[in-house]
Amino acid sequence: MKIRASEVFELAKDDLCYGETGAVSEIEVIDKTAVRIINNIYKELFFKINTSGFSPINTLDDYIKLPEDIIYLCLVPGVAAKLAFDYGDGNLQAYFANLYNQGLNQFNTQTQVEDVLPSDYMN
């Protein structure tokens, strides 16, 4: 799935309720670090899936290509956790860091079961 970086950032801000008028006094300052925050999480998730070929985003108009479940279970909560941390919002940072870690744990424990015949040594 491809998603625009600006959409990821807006989803994270909405989850934090930082998009509401007057909710966060320093949101303009935080908005300036959006690309850095997204790249931070995107890089980690990219290398969980691939071994090479990472291309960081340069603007919020760039697209991020990750599986849909990774975007919504890991990327968005990870960006939200970083945003809350930058704003100094400890309670929300802890909450979204926990969601991010739960997504990573679910991602890390996905296994494939193969149906195979027993080898000759078992006969």
Side-chain angles (χ1 to χ4, degrees):
M1 175 179 177
K2 286 171 58 173
I3 187 169
R4 196 178 298 268
S6 60
E7 292 176 56
V8 170
F9 194 68
E10 288 304 316
L11 285 169
K13 283 191 340 186
D14 287 346
D15 284 351
L16 291 163
C17 297
Y18 285 3
E20 297 175 8
T21 306
V24 178
S25 60
E26 299 174 21
I27 199 64
E28 294 83 20
V29 176
I30 294 172
D31 283 350
K32 292 178 185 176
T33 64
V35 171
R36 178 186 54 81
I37 290 171
I38 293 170
N39 273 331
N40 218 336
I41 303 298
Y42 178 37
K43 177 177 51 176
E44 181 178 351
L45 295 173
F46 181 87
F47 284 113
K48 292 239 179 240
I49 301 169
N50 305 292
T51 56
S52 64
F54 177 71
S55 179
I57 61 166
N58 296 313
T59 70
L60 289 177
D61 290 328
D62 292 348
Y63 283 93
I64 294 171
K65 187 175 181 184
L66 289 172
E68 185 177 12
D69 58 340
I70 301 302
I71 289 172
Y72 292 107
L73 295 176
C74 296
L75 184 62
V76 173
V79 170
K82 290 278 189 187
L83 277 171
F85 179 79
D86 284 356
Y87 186 64
D89 194 343
N91 289 335
L92 284 176
Q93 188 275 333
Y95 175 75
F96 282 98
N98 187 37
L99 287 180
Y100 173 70
N101 287 328
Q102 286 177 5
L104 282 180
N105 287 339
Q106 186 177 12
F107 176 58
N108 289 335
T109 58
Q110 292 177 353
T111 58
Q112 292 182 346
V113 177
E114 278 186 47
D115 187 17
V116 296
L117 295 172
S119 64
D120 288 336
Y121 75 89
M122 294 185 76
N123 293 329

